[in-house]
Amino acid sequence: PNPTASPATSTSSNILHTRTYDLNITYDKYYQTPRLFLFGYSSTRHPLTSTEIFEDISTDHAHKTVTMETHPHLHMTMASIHPCKHASVMKKLMEGIPDMRVDQYLVLFLKFMGAVMPAIDYDYTMNVGS
């Protein structure tokens, strides 16, 4: 789970309410690239509405690159980042990194996804150049 700042709903200004997201990475066979699905929870662990999820998505991507779709394996509606440009962008990002391992690719992919979801903080456990 990855916390992100959410508007405070309490009368106390010292309390920071956070949202948590489950990230599901699938493989999109058509585009031959990873595809990211997001399912969000409020600070009280209630599922977020699509409106609340789009509050955490960059306005350049909301309702365009990021849409609400049915997850192919979990059969529930989630925010999905459309993979049509992932392969070309990832290829450009990887050009400077020789012999990239799969685990490094996924970290790089999540860093790339950070542009779409700037409000979400990730816990990066390794450097891509490691």
Side-chain angles (χ1 to χ4, degrees), residues 10-21:
S10 173
T11 56
S12 172
S13 62
N14 294 331
I15 298 173
L16 176 65
H17 295 272
T18 59
R19 294 179 177 166
T20 304
Y21 281 88

Side-chain angles (χ1 to χ4, degrees), residues 21-84:
Y21 281 88
D22 289 339
L23 307 180
N24 290 269
I25 301 173
T26 63
Y27 183 76
D28 190 288
K29 192 170 183 177
Y30 182 82
Y31 290 102
Q32 298 183 1
T33 187
R35 184 174 191 155
L36 186 63
F37 287 86
L38 305 157
F39 191 83
Y41 302 93
S42 69
S43 59
T44 58
R45 297 296 297 162
H46 290 94
L48 296 177
T49 65
S50 58
T51 302
E52 292 170 319
I53 290 171
F54 283 119
E55 290 172 358
D56 295 332
I57 305 296
S58 87
T59 55
D60 291 338
H61 298 96
H63 303 287
K64 299 169 197 156
T65 306
V66 181
T67 56
M68 299 304 287
E69 298 183 35
T70 302
H71 189 285
H73 306 290
L74 301 177
H75 308 292
M76 54 192 289
T77 302
M78 297 179 161
S80 170
I81 301 173
H82 196 272
C84 61

Side-chain angles (χ1 to χ4, degrees), residues 76-130:
M76 54 192 289
T77 302
M78 297 179 161
S80 170
I81 301 173
H82 196 272
C84 61
K85 303 290 183 190
H86 292 181
S88 61
V89 172
M90 288 301 295
K91 184 175 180 179
K92 287 178 186 176
L93 292 173
M94 290 173 39
E95 286 174 353
I97 306 171
D99 303 321
M100 178 177 280
R101 297 185 323 258
V102 172
D103 58 334
Q104 292 171 320
Y105 179 92
L106 289 174
V107 171
L108 186 64
F109 175 75
L110 288 174
K111 286 186 178 192
F112 164 51
M113 291 294 101
V116 176
M117 306 165 299
I120 297 178
D121 295 324
Y122 295 100
D123 178 16
Y124 297 112
T125 57
M126 61 177 255
N127 233 337
V128 173
S130 297

